[in-house]
Amino acid sequence: MLRVMCMLLILAGMSNQAPAGEFYDGVDAYNRGDYSKAEKFFKSSAQQGDASAQFNLGLMYSYGQGVSQDYLEAIKWFRLAAQQGDASAQFNLGLMYDNGRGVP
C-alpha cells in the first residue's frame, strides 16, 4: 500500500509539470520533421528552465533545423543547459568553442 501511495504522489507531481509535456510534444514534432512546431514547444519549455529542451534548441540553431542557423543562439541554449549539468550540452558547447562557431 505504501508503494502505491508513493507512486500516486510521484504521478500527481508529474502532472503539474507543463514544461515536460511541451518538451515531449516537441520531441514528437521533431521526429515527424515538423521542426518549426518542435522549436515552439522546445522554446516554451526551455524558457521555463528545461535543460533537455535548451539542449535541443541549441542543436536546432546549430544545424539550422526549423530556424535560421545561428551559432550565437545555439551557444546561448547550450550554455543554459550546460550550467544545469547537461553533459551533452557541455560537450556541444565545447565543440562550438573548439571549432570557433559563434565565438572568437
Side-chain angles (χ1 to χ4, degrees):
M1 185 66 172
L2 182 58
R3 257 190 223 177
V4 172
M5 288 176 55
C6 287
M7 191 57 102
L8 289 175
L9 287 173
I10 291 169
L11 291 174
M14 289 170 57
S15 67
N16 293 329
Q17 295 178 355
E22 290 176 334
F23 172 76
Y24 290 116
D25 290 340
V27 170
D28 289 340
Y30 184 90
N31 288 334
R32 287 192 316 272
D34 189 348
Y35 299 129
S36 63
K37 190 173 278 188
E39 186 264 344
K40 288 176 186 169
F41 284 123
F42 287 149
K43 187 167 278 186
S44 177
S45 190
Q47 289 171 336
Q48 295 180 51
D50 186 310
S52 295
Q54 293 166 344
F55 168 71
N56 285 348
L57 276 176
L59 287 177
M60 292 181 77
Y61 279 101
S62 180
Y63 293 108
Q65 292 177 307
V67 295
S68 297
Q69 189 174 43
D70 185 339
Y71 294 137
L72 291 176
E73 194 70 9
I75 286 173
K76 168 188 158 183
W77 292 112
F78 284 148
R79 183 172 286 128
L80 287 170
Q83 289 171 342
Q84 293 188 67
D86 186 297
S88 296
Q90 293 167 350
F91 178 78
N92 279 275
L93 183 59
L95 286 178
M96 299 290 283
Y97 276 90
D98 188 49
N99 294 318
R101 293 194 171 135
V103 294

XYZ file of all heavy atoms in Angstrom:
801
model
N 0.819 -1.193 0.000
C 0.000 0.000 0.000
C 0.866 1.262 0.000
O 0.546 2.223 -0.681
C -0.921 -0.037 1.232
C -1.896 1.080 1.277
S -3.060 0.903 -0.078
C -4.196 2.136 0.314
N 1.965 1.223 0.757
C 2.861 2.370 0.809
C 3.462 2.643 -0.569
O 3.575 3.798 -0.984
C 3.969 2.130 1.841
C 4.972 3.266 2.040
C 4.241 4.542 2.460
C 5.992 2.892 3.088
N 3.816 1.580 -1.288
C 4.359 1.738 -2.644
C 3.354 2.412 -3.566
O 3.705 3.284 -4.346
C 4.718 0.373 -3.225
C 6.139 0.075 -3.208
C 6.424 -1.149 -3.999
N 7.364 -1.932 -3.237
C 7.817 -3.097 -3.568
N 7.380 -3.684 -4.646
N 8.691 -3.714 -2.842
N 2.111 1.991 -3.481
C 1.066 2.562 -4.324
C 0.887 4.044 -4.012
O 0.786 4.872 -4.913
C -0.266 1.787 -4.142
C -1.413 2.492 -4.855
C -0.116 0.359 -4.621
N 0.885 4.392 -2.731
C 0.728 5.799 -2.346
C 1.905 6.635 -2.841
O 1.717 7.743 -3.339
C 0.572 5.922 -0.833
C -0.775 5.422 -0.334
S -0.955 5.441 1.455
C -0.580 7.128 1.858
N 3.107 6.108 -2.731
C 4.294 6.829 -3.216
C 4.203 7.047 -4.720
O 4.504 8.126 -5.217
C 5.564 6.076 -2.856
S 5.958 6.167 -1.102
N 3.793 6.013 -5.448
C 3.690 6.131 -6.906
C 2.634 7.162 -7.286
O 2.829 7.954 -8.201
C 3.353 4.772 -7.514
C 3.493 4.763 -9.004
S 5.148 5.237 -9.498
C 5.826 3.674 -9.864
N 1.513 7.186 -6.577
C 0.471 8.172 -6.860
C 0.958 9.586 -6.594
O 0.654 10.504 -7.347
C -0.785 7.877 -6.040
C -1.582 6.643 -6.460
C -2.722 6.397 -5.489
C -2.105 6.807 -7.873
N 1.747 9.787 -5.547
C 2.307 11.112 -5.264
C 3.269 11.541 -6.365
O 3.269 12.696 -6.786
C 3.009 11.118 -3.903
C 2.090 11.092 -2.688
C 2.908 10.939 -1.412
C 1.248 12.358 -2.637
N 4.079 10.620 -6.833
C 5.011 10.932 -7.916
C 4.251 11.309 -9.171
O 4.545 12.314 -9.822
C 5.967 9.748 -8.173
C 6.917 9.587 -6.992
C 6.725 9.932 -9.479
C 7.721 8.306 -7.004
N 3.247 10.516 -9.524
C 2.454 10.807 -10.720
C 1.696 12.120 -10.589
O 1.593 12.878 -11.548
C 1.486 9.657 -11.004
C 2.131 8.352 -11.451
C 1.083 7.255 -11.548
C 2.857 8.526 -12.766
N 1.187 12.412 -9.409
C 0.480 13.678 -9.196
C 1.426 14.856 -9.375
O 1.065 15.863 -9.979
C -0.138 13.704 -7.802
N 2.631 14.725 -8.884
C 3.628 15.780 -9.055
C 4.007 15.982 -10.506
O 4.200 17.093 -10.969
N 4.093 14.906 -11.248
C 4.474 14.987 -12.652
C 3.380 15.635 -13.489
O 3.662 16.290 -14.483
C 4.794 13.598 -13.202
C 6.080 13.027 -12.656
S 6.340 11.290 -13.068
C 6.254 11.310 -14.837
N 2.129 15.469 -13.094
C 1.036 16.013 -13.894
C 1.034 17.541 -13.890
O 0.452 18.149 -14.772
C -0.302 15.483 -13.387
O -0.574 15.994 -12.102
N 1.675 18.170 -12.934
C 1.729 19.627 -12.867
C 2.917 20.209 -13.616
O 3.120 21.404 -13.609
C 1.794 20.077 -11.405
C 0.519 19.757 -10.663
O -0.548 19.754 -11.258
N 0.622 19.489 -9.378
N 3.705 19.385 -14.255
C 4.906 19.863 -14.928
C 4.622 20.105 -16.404
O 4.864 19.260 -17.251
C 6.042 18.859 -14.758
C 6.474 18.729 -13.310
C 7.553 17.695 -13.137
O 7.931 17.002 -14.069
N 8.068 17.586 -11.935
N 4.108 21.280 -16.722
C 3.780 21.628 -18.100
C 4.988 21.571 -19.015
O 4.884 21.097 -20.132
C 3.132 23.004 -18.155
N 6.180 22.045 -18.572
C 7.317 22.003 -19.486
C 7.629 20.601 -19.991
O 7.996 20.430 -21.139
C 8.477 22.552 -18.655
C 7.827 23.392 -17.618
C 6.518 22.708 -17.330
N 7.474 19.590 -19.151
C 7.767 18.223 -19.590
C 6.817 17.824 -20.707
O 7.229 17.217 -21.689
C 7.674 17.252 -18.420
N 5.538 18.165 -20.584
C 4.573 17.857 -21.627
C 4.926 18.559 -22.924
O 4.868 17.966 -23.996
N 5.278 19.825 -22.809
C 5.666 20.577 -24.002
C 6.947 20.020 -24.599
O 7.086 19.953 -25.815
C 5.836 22.057 -23.667
C 4.529 22.737 -23.355
C 4.697 24.178 -22.931
O 5.767 24.542 -22.417
O 3.737 24.928 -23.121
N 7.861 19.586 -23.745
C 9.100 19.000 -24.251
C 8.785 17.763 -25.090
O 9.280 17.619 -26.204
C 10.041 18.637 -23.105
C 11.237 17.855 -23.561
C 12.277 18.487 -24.215
C 11.297 16.488 -23.378
C 13.379 17.770 -24.671
C 12.387 15.762 -23.821
C 13.435 16.406 -24.466
N 7.945 16.881 -24.570
C 7.627 15.655 -25.311
C 6.819 15.941 -26.569
O 6.961 15.242 -27.571
C 6.940 14.638 -24.405
C 7.901 14.079 -23.391
C 7.715 14.301 -22.027
C 9.033 13.370 -23.790
C 8.622 13.813 -21.093
C 9.941 12.882 -22.870
C 9.730 13.105 -21.520
O 10.635 12.634 -20.615
N 5.975 16.984 -26.535
C 5.293 17.411 -27.760
C 6.310 17.880 -28.788
O 6.171 17.622 -29.985
C 4.302 18.532 -27.462
C 3.090 18.055 -26.671
O 2.802 16.835 -26.665
O 2.421 18.918 -26.044
N 7.357 18.556 -28.308
C 8.431 18.994 -29.194
C 9.191 17.823 -29.794
O 9.524 17.832 -30.981
N 9.455 16.815 -28.984
C 10.141 15.611 -29.478
C 9.301 14.948 -30.560
O 9.817 14.562 -31.623
C 10.442 14.621 -28.331
C 10.928 13.287 -28.867
C 11.462 15.221 -27.366
N 7.993 14.821 -30.315
C 7.104 14.210 -31.313
C 7.120 15.003 -32.620
O 7.219 14.433 -33.703
C 5.674 14.107 -30.777
C 5.524 13.059 -29.689
O 6.391 12.147 -29.600
O 4.550 13.142 -28.918
N 7.012 16.331 -32.502
C 7.016 17.177 -33.698
C 8.351 17.059 -34.433
O 8.382 16.955 -35.669
C 6.746 18.636 -33.307
N 9.445 17.051 -33.684
C 10.767 16.921 -34.300
C 10.884 15.595 -35.058
O 11.349 15.558 -36.192
C 11.852 17.015 -33.222
C 13.248 16.988 -33.787
C 13.889 18.170 -34.146
C 13.922 15.789 -33.992
C 15.161 18.155 -34.683
C 15.199 15.764 -34.534
C 15.810 16.948 -34.876
O 17.075 16.929 -35.417
N 10.439 14.520 -34.436
C 10.520 13.205 -35.065
C 9.645 13.100 -36.307
O 9.944 12.307 -37.206
C 10.166 12.098 -34.070
C 11.250 11.899 -33.036
O 12.418 12.190 -33.272
N 10.872 11.412 -31.872
N 8.594 13.905 -36.382
C 7.743 13.949 -37.576
C 8.341 14.865 -38.648
O 7.817 14.943 -39.749
C 6.347 14.462 -37.223
C 5.482 13.500 -36.452
C 4.017 13.967 -36.387
N 3.843 15.377 -36.088
C 3.772 15.889 -34.857
N 3.882 15.114 -33.796
N 3.592 17.188 -34.688
N 9.414 15.570 -38.302
C 10.026 16.502 -39.246
C 9.388 17.873 -39.238
O 9.705 18.708 -40.078
N 8.502 18.143 -38.288
C 7.859 19.449 -38.165
C 8.711 20.309 -37.239
O 8.387 20.536 -36.074
C 6.438 19.277 -37.625
C 5.621 20.562 -37.681
O 6.211 21.647 -37.918
O 4.397 20.486 -37.474
N 9.832 20.805 -37.784
C 10.823 21.500 -36.972
C 10.328 22.824 -36.419
O 10.688 23.202 -35.311
C 12.113 21.698 -37.757
C 12.758 20.405 -38.177
C 13.137 20.189 -39.489
C 12.981 19.377 -37.263
C 13.730 19.000 -39.877
C 13.568 18.185 -37.644
C 13.943 18.001 -38.958
O 14.522 16.814 -39.329
N 9.494 23.533 -37.175
C 9.018 24.824 -36.662
C 8.112 24.619 -35.453
O 8.173 25.374 -34.486
C 8.318 25.630 -37.752
O 7.159 24.968 -38.205
N 7.282 23.583 -35.474
C 6.436 23.290 -34.317
C 7.295 22.803 -33.147
O 7.073 23.180 -32.000
C 5.374 22.254 -34.673
C 4.314 22.091 -33.600
C 3.189 21.188 -34.050
C 2.225 21.996 -34.888
N 0.996 21.255 -35.207
N 8.285 21.970 -33.449
C 9.185 21.478 -32.405
C 9.891 22.644 -31.720
O 10.000 22.678 -30.494
C 10.206 20.509 -32.990
N 10.346 23.600 -32.510
C 11.037 24.771 -31.958
C 10.140 25.536 -30.997
O 10.577 25.966 -29.932
C 11.520 25.672 -33.104
C 12.380 26.829 -32.651
C 11.609 28.130 -32.469
O 10.477 28.225 -32.978
O 12.143 29.037 -31.816
N 8.875 25.675 -31.331
C 7.947 26.397 -30.449
C 7.757 25.661 -29.129
O 7.782 26.273 -28.060
C 6.604 26.596 -31.147
C 6.668 27.613 -32.259
C 5.359 27.734 -32.993
C 5.555 28.676 -34.181
N 4.451 28.683 -35.099
N 7.564 24.342 -29.197
C 7.401 23.566 -27.967
C 8.679 23.588 -27.127
O 8.635 23.781 -25.916
C 7.014 22.118 -28.272
C 5.581 21.936 -28.678
C 5.259 21.342 -29.887
C 4.542 22.334 -27.844
C 3.940 21.149 -30.252
C 3.212 22.142 -28.204
C 2.919 21.548 -29.417
N 9.823 23.382 -27.789
C 11.092 23.378 -27.059
C 11.353 24.740 -26.416
O 11.788 24.826 -25.277
C 12.258 23.006 -27.969
C 12.314 21.557 -28.353
C 12.836 21.182 -29.579
C 11.873 20.561 -27.502
C 12.912 19.845 -29.944
C 11.944 19.215 -27.853
C 12.465 18.863 -29.081
N 11.085 25.807 -27.163
C 11.370 27.141 -26.635
C 10.513 27.436 -25.402
O 11.008 27.969 -24.412
C 11.173 28.225 -27.695
C 11.636 29.594 -27.201
C 11.741 30.597 -28.307
C 13.065 30.392 -29.012
N 13.336 31.409 -30.015
N 9.257 27.079 -25.462
C 8.379 27.307 -24.318
C 8.892 26.563 -23.090
O 8.973 27.114 -21.994
C 6.960 26.864 -24.656
O 6.121 27.010 -23.536
N 9.266 25.317 -23.289
C 9.778 24.501 -22.188
C 11.151 25.002 -21.731
O 11.436 25.062 -20.538
C 9.859 23.039 -22.640
O 10.115 22.191 -21.571
N 11.990 25.385 -22.676
C 13.339 25.861 -22.352
C 13.295 27.148 -21.545
O 14.090 27.334 -20.620
C 14.138 26.076 -23.638
N 12.371 28.029 -21.872
C 12.260 29.291 -21.148
C 11.812 29.078 -19.703
O 12.009 29.947 -18.868
C 11.303 30.236 -21.881
C 11.898 30.759 -23.160
C 10.903 31.523 -24.022
O 9.693 31.322 -23.933
N 11.420 32.395 -24.869
N 11.249 27.909 -19.439
C 10.854 27.576 -18.070
C 11.935 26.765 -17.361
O 11.726 26.264 -16.274
C 9.526 26.814 -18.095
C 8.386 27.682 -18.609
C 7.073 26.937 -18.638
O 6.676 26.346 -17.648
N 6.412 26.972 -19.778
N 13.100 26.622 -18.019
C 14.245 26.009 -17.368
C 14.510 24.548 -17.683
O 15.362 23.934 -17.043
N 13.831 23.969 -18.657
C 14.035 22.563 -19.003
C 15.355 22.408 -19.763
O 15.486 22.864 -20.900
C 12.866 22.072 -19.852
C 12.924 20.589 -20.139
O 13.987 20.106 -20.583
O 11.903 19.909 -19.941
N 16.340 21.774 -19.132
C 17.672 21.634 -19.729
C 17.650 20.818 -21.012
O 18.388 21.121 -21.958
C 18.637 21.011 -18.724
N 16.816 19.797 -21.090
C 16.740 18.978 -22.305
C 16.209 19.801 -23.474
O 16.700 19.688 -24.599
C 15.858 17.749 -22.080
O 16.426 16.904 -21.123
N 15.215 20.626 -23.206
C 14.673 21.495 -24.248
C 15.713 22.537 -24.661
O 15.857 22.849 -25.845
C 13.398 22.176 -23.759
N 16.456 23.062 -23.701
C 17.515 24.026 -24.015
C 18.570 23.381 -24.909
O 19.007 23.979 -25.896
C 18.147 24.541 -22.724
C 17.202 25.387 -21.905
C 17.676 25.634 -20.493
O 18.571 24.964 -19.983
N 17.059 26.598 -19.824
N 18.957 22.160 -24.573
C 19.938 21.445 -25.384
C 19.410 21.233 -26.801
O 20.119 21.472 -27.785
C 20.288 20.100 -24.747
C 21.070 19.198 -25.653
C 22.392 19.481 -25.963
C 20.489 18.073 -26.214
C 23.127 18.664 -26.814
C 21.206 17.249 -27.063
C 22.530 17.547 -27.362
N 18.161 20.786 -26.924
C 17.596 20.542 -28.253
C 17.510 21.826 -29.073
O 17.753 21.807 -30.284
C 16.226 19.879 -28.137
C 16.332 18.418 -27.760
O 17.405 17.826 -27.801
N 15.227 17.831 -27.386
N 17.175 22.938 -28.431
C 17.176 24.216 -29.151
C 18.580 24.557 -29.629
O 18.757 25.053 -30.749
C 16.654 25.336 -28.250
C 15.145 25.502 -28.172
C 14.792 26.593 -27.171
C 14.557 25.824 -29.527
N 19.568 24.291 -28.777
C 20.951 24.521 -29.197
C 21.285 23.738 -30.451
O 21.898 24.274 -31.390
N 20.878 22.489 -30.505
C 21.117 21.674 -31.700
C 20.396 22.237 -32.915
O 20.966 22.311 -34.012
C 20.669 20.229 -31.471
C 21.524 19.375 -30.563
C 20.884 17.998 -30.397
C 22.938 19.231 -31.113
N 19.141 22.627 -32.727
C 18.367 23.147 -33.850
C 18.994 24.413 -34.420
O 19.091 24.577 -35.633
C 16.919 23.382 -33.430
C 16.173 22.083 -33.134
S 14.459 22.320 -32.665
C 13.752 22.648 -34.297
N 19.451 25.305 -33.542
C 20.093 26.526 -34.025
C 21.474 26.231 -34.612
O 21.899 26.876 -35.559
C 20.188 27.574 -32.910
C 18.896 28.330 -32.731
C 18.026 28.018 -31.695
C 18.538 29.344 -33.610
C 16.834 28.699 -31.529
C 17.337 30.028 -33.457
C 16.492 29.695 -32.419
O 15.314 30.378 -32.283
N 22.152 25.271 -34.072
C 23.469 24.910 -34.581
C 23.393 24.371 -36.008
O 24.236 24.671 -36.844
C 24.109 23.870 -33.652
O 25.376 23.505 -34.108
N 22.363 23.582 -36.282
C 22.223 22.956 -37.602
C 21.222 23.656 -38.510
O 21.071 23.279 -39.674
C 21.825 21.489 -37.448
C 22.905 20.648 -36.834
C 22.778 20.177 -35.535
C 24.067 20.347 -37.531
C 23.785 19.411 -34.954
C 25.079 19.589 -36.964
C 24.926 19.124 -35.676
O 25.924 18.377 -35.107
N 20.506 24.658 -37.991
C 19.525 25.364 -38.807
C 18.309 24.517 -39.128
O 17.807 24.554 -40.243
N 17.822 23.770 -38.167
C 16.650 22.929 -38.369
C 15.401 23.650 -37.867
O 15.202 23.812 -36.666
C 16.788 21.608 -37.612
C 17.871 20.723 -38.165
C 18.021 19.469 -37.338
O 18.191 19.541 -36.132
N 17.969 18.331 -38.000
N 14.565 24.110 -38.795
C 13.342 24.817 -38.429
C 13.570 26.260 -38.045
O 12.619 26.991 -37.782
N 14.811 26.667 -37.971
C 15.209 28.036 -37.634
C 16.404 28.379 -38.517
O 17.040 27.501 -39.084
C 15.611 28.165 -36.142
C 14.425 27.910 -35.229
C 16.741 27.218 -35.798
N 16.703 29.659 -38.599
C 17.922 30.050 -39.306
C 19.121 29.599 -38.485
O 19.110 29.707 -37.254
C 17.984 31.565 -39.490
O 16.923 31.999 -40.300
N 20.137 29.091 -39.157
C 21.346 28.679 -38.439
C 21.931 29.906 -37.743
O 22.152 30.940 -38.366
C 22.353 28.081 -39.402
C 23.534 27.440 -38.712
C 24.444 26.741 -39.702
O 24.730 27.267 -40.771
N 24.885 25.556 -39.349
N 22.125 29.774 -36.441
C 22.583 30.907 -35.641
C 23.442 30.370 -34.502
O 22.931 29.881 -33.493
C 21.368 31.659 -35.098
C 21.720 32.929 -34.337
O 22.868 33.054 -33.865
O 20.822 33.786 -34.192
N 24.756 30.455 -34.691
C 25.670 29.898 -33.695
C 25.591 30.614 -32.348
O 25.738 29.983 -31.308
C 27.105 29.909 -34.216
C 27.330 28.987 -35.393
C 28.076 29.398 -36.485
C 26.822 27.698 -35.414
C 28.304 28.556 -37.564
C 27.041 26.842 -36.481
C 27.782 27.290 -37.560
O 27.992 26.437 -38.623
N 25.352 31.927 -32.362
C 25.231 32.651 -31.096
C 24.022 32.164 -30.299
O 24.090 32.001 -29.083
C 25.135 34.156 -31.346
C 26.402 34.831 -31.861
C 26.141 36.306 -32.160
C 27.539 34.667 -30.868
N 22.927 31.925 -30.995
C 21.724 31.422 -30.327
C 21.947 29.985 -29.848
O 21.501 29.602 -28.763
C 20.520 31.503 -31.280
C 19.191 31.329 -30.616
C 18.749 32.472 -29.716
O 19.380 33.549 -29.689
O 17.752 32.287 -29.007
N 22.658 29.196 -30.636
C 22.986 27.818 -30.237
C 23.811 27.828 -28.950
O 23.530 27.081 -28.006
C 23.737 27.105 -31.352
N 24.812 28.696 -28.906
C 25.668 28.791 -27.716
C 24.847 29.207 -26.506
O 25.024 28.661 -25.407
C 26.839 29.770 -27.962
C 27.857 29.106 -28.883
C 27.489 30.204 -26.659
C 28.959 30.025 -29.335
N 23.942 30.145 -26.695
C 23.080 30.597 -25.582
C 22.339 29.415 -24.959
O 22.351 29.233 -23.739
C 22.075 31.632 -26.100
C 20.965 31.967 -25.133
C 19.918 32.838 -25.817
C 18.596 32.758 -25.099
N 17.567 33.542 -25.798
N 21.712 28.590 -25.789
C 20.919 27.480 -25.274
C 21.799 26.353 -24.741
O 21.488 25.747 -23.716
C 19.941 26.981 -26.339
C 18.884 27.999 -26.623
C 18.717 28.720 -27.775
C 17.864 28.465 -25.727
N 17.651 29.585 -27.644
C 17.114 29.440 -26.409
C 17.510 28.129 -24.422
C 16.031 30.094 -25.822
C 16.423 28.780 -23.837
C 15.707 29.740 -24.527
N 22.917 26.069 -25.425
C 23.841 25.058 -24.903
C 24.365 25.476 -23.525
O 24.465 24.665 -22.614
C 25.029 24.848 -25.845
C 24.726 24.038 -27.071
C 25.399 24.305 -28.261
C 23.817 22.988 -27.063
C 25.164 23.549 -29.396
C 23.570 22.228 -28.199
C 24.241 22.513 -29.375
N 24.707 26.754 -23.391
C 25.260 27.242 -22.126
C 24.240 27.107 -20.994
O 24.581 26.684 -19.889
C 25.717 28.692 -22.273
C 26.372 29.234 -21.005
C 26.994 30.608 -21.192
N 28.214 30.459 -21.971
C 28.493 31.165 -23.071
N 27.647 32.076 -23.518
N 29.622 30.975 -23.716
N 22.987 27.464 -21.261
C 21.960 27.352 -20.221
C 21.786 25.902 -19.765
O 21.679 25.625 -18.578
C 20.629 27.913 -20.723
C 20.564 29.438 -20.841
C 19.299 29.857 -21.584
C 20.609 30.076 -19.456
N 21.774 24.980 -20.716
C 21.639 23.561 -20.368
C 22.897 23.055 -19.675
O 22.821 22.293 -18.703
C 21.342 22.738 -21.618
N 24.055 23.494 -20.155
C 25.334 23.058 -19.574
C 25.442 23.500 -18.114
O 25.943 22.749 -17.274
C 26.502 23.610 -20.388
N 24.964 24.691 -17.809
C 25.015 25.193 -16.434
C 24.149 24.371 -15.482
O 24.348 24.405 -14.280
C 24.595 26.667 -16.400
C 25.617 27.586 -17.014
C 25.123 29.009 -17.183
O 23.926 29.288 -17.162
N 26.062 29.928 -17.369
N 23.218 23.624 -16.049
C 22.374 22.748 -15.236
C 22.941 21.325 -15.172
O 22.309 20.429 -14.637
C 20.951 22.707 -15.797
C 20.230 24.034 -15.677
C 18.780 23.883 -16.056
O 18.016 23.222 -15.359
N 18.401 24.497 -17.174
N 24.119 21.149 -15.751
C 24.774 19.844 -15.669
C 24.497 18.909 -16.823
O 24.859 17.728 -16.759
N 23.871 19.374 -17.890
C 23.595 18.522 -19.040
C 24.908 18.234 -19.773
O 25.505 19.127 -20.384
C 22.590 19.213 -19.974
C 22.148 18.324 -21.118
O 23.005 17.944 -21.938
O 20.946 18.027 -21.196
N 25.370 16.985 -19.709
C 26.671 16.613 -20.270
C 26.713 16.789 -21.786
O 27.737 17.201 -22.337
C 27.019 15.179 -19.893
N 25.624 16.490 -22.469
C 25.601 16.651 -23.932
C 25.728 18.118 -24.312
O 26.407 18.461 -25.279
C 24.311 16.067 -24.507
O 24.256 14.679 -24.294
N 25.083 18.980 -23.547
C 25.188 20.416 -23.800
C 26.606 20.904 -23.521
O 27.155 21.714 -24.273
C 24.180 21.187 -22.947
N 27.205 20.403 -22.450
C 28.588 20.772 -22.132
C 29.520 20.357 -23.269
O 30.386 21.133 -23.692
C 29.013 20.124 -20.818
C 28.275 20.668 -19.618
C 28.452 19.838 -18.362
O 28.979 18.730 -18.389
N 27.981 20.363 -17.230
N 29.333 19.152 -23.773
C 30.166 18.654 -24.874
C 29.978 19.510 -26.123
O 30.957 19.923 -26.756
C 29.819 17.196 -25.169
C 30.584 16.618 -26.317
C 31.898 16.206 -26.152
C 29.996 16.493 -27.568
C 32.619 15.678 -27.213
C 30.711 15.966 -28.633
C 32.023 15.555 -28.452
N 28.717 19.780 -26.488
C 28.452 20.561 -27.695
C 28.917 22.003 -27.558
O 29.386 22.594 -28.531
C 26.968 20.493 -28.054
C 26.645 19.223 -28.788
O 26.791 19.132 -29.998
N 26.225 18.210 -28.050
N 28.831 22.556 -26.363
C 29.352 23.896 -26.130
C 30.868 23.890 -26.342
O 31.417 24.789 -26.985
C 28.994 24.364 -24.724
C 29.397 25.779 -24.336
C 28.758 26.806 -25.270
C 28.993 26.061 -22.892
N 31.521 22.863 -25.840
C 32.962 22.723 -26.058
C 33.298 22.624 -27.532
O 34.285 23.217 -27.995
N 32.499 21.882 -28.286
C 32.731 21.773 -29.738
C 32.583 23.124 -30.427
O 33.340 23.435 -31.351
C 31.760 20.778 -30.366
C 32.010 19.306 -30.121
C 30.905 18.466 -30.774
C 33.378 18.890 -30.656
N 31.605 23.910 -29.983
C 31.420 25.235 -30.576
C 32.674 26.080 -30.367
O 33.145 26.749 -31.289
C 30.190 25.934 -29.977
C 28.874 25.217 -30.187
S 28.289 25.211 -31.882
C 27.662 26.858 -32.033
N 33.230 26.013 -29.170
C 34.454 26.754 -28.896
C 35.639 26.171 -29.678
O 36.445 26.908 -30.249
C 34.773 26.752 -27.391
C 34.055 27.826 -26.632
C 32.799 27.600 -26.076
C 34.608 29.099 -26.492
C 32.120 28.601 -25.400
C 33.943 30.095 -25.797
C 32.697 29.851 -25.265
O 32.037 30.846 -24.594
N 35.727 24.859 -29.719
C 36.831 24.208 -30.416
C 36.829 24.554 -31.912
O 37.886 24.736 -32.505
C 36.758 22.693 -30.223
C 37.987 21.973 -30.752
O 39.117 22.407 -30.408
O 37.822 20.994 -31.493
N 35.630 24.642 -32.484
C 35.510 24.924 -33.912
C 35.368 26.416 -34.223
O 35.266 26.802 -35.386
C 34.322 24.160 -34.504
C 34.536 22.666 -34.464
O 35.624 22.177 -34.754
N 33.513 21.922 -34.082
N 35.334 27.245 -33.172
C 35.215 28.696 -33.383
C 33.882 29.112 -33.957
O 33.800 30.094 -34.682
N 32.824 28.395 -33.640
C 31.496 28.717 -34.150
C 30.743 29.578 -33.141
O 30.368 29.118 -32.073
C 30.715 27.450 -34.449
C 31.324 26.693 -35.589
C 30.397 25.642 -36.119
N 30.984 25.107 -37.342
C 31.049 23.836 -37.639
N 30.542 22.948 -36.795
N 31.584 23.445 -38.767
N 30.556 30.845 -33.491
C 29.844 31.766 -32.614
C 30.707 32.382 -31.535
O 30.220 33.139 -30.719
N 31.963 32.032 -31.524
C 32.911 32.572 -30.537
C 34.208 32.927 -31.271
O 34.509 32.367 -32.310
C 33.205 31.557 -29.411
C 31.968 31.304 -28.579
C 33.754 30.275 -29.955
N 34.983 33.853 -30.701
C 36.261 34.180 -31.342
C 37.245 33.025 -31.265
O 37.202 32.210 -30.380
C 36.777 35.377 -30.552
C 35.881 35.565 -29.383
C 34.703 34.661 -29.541
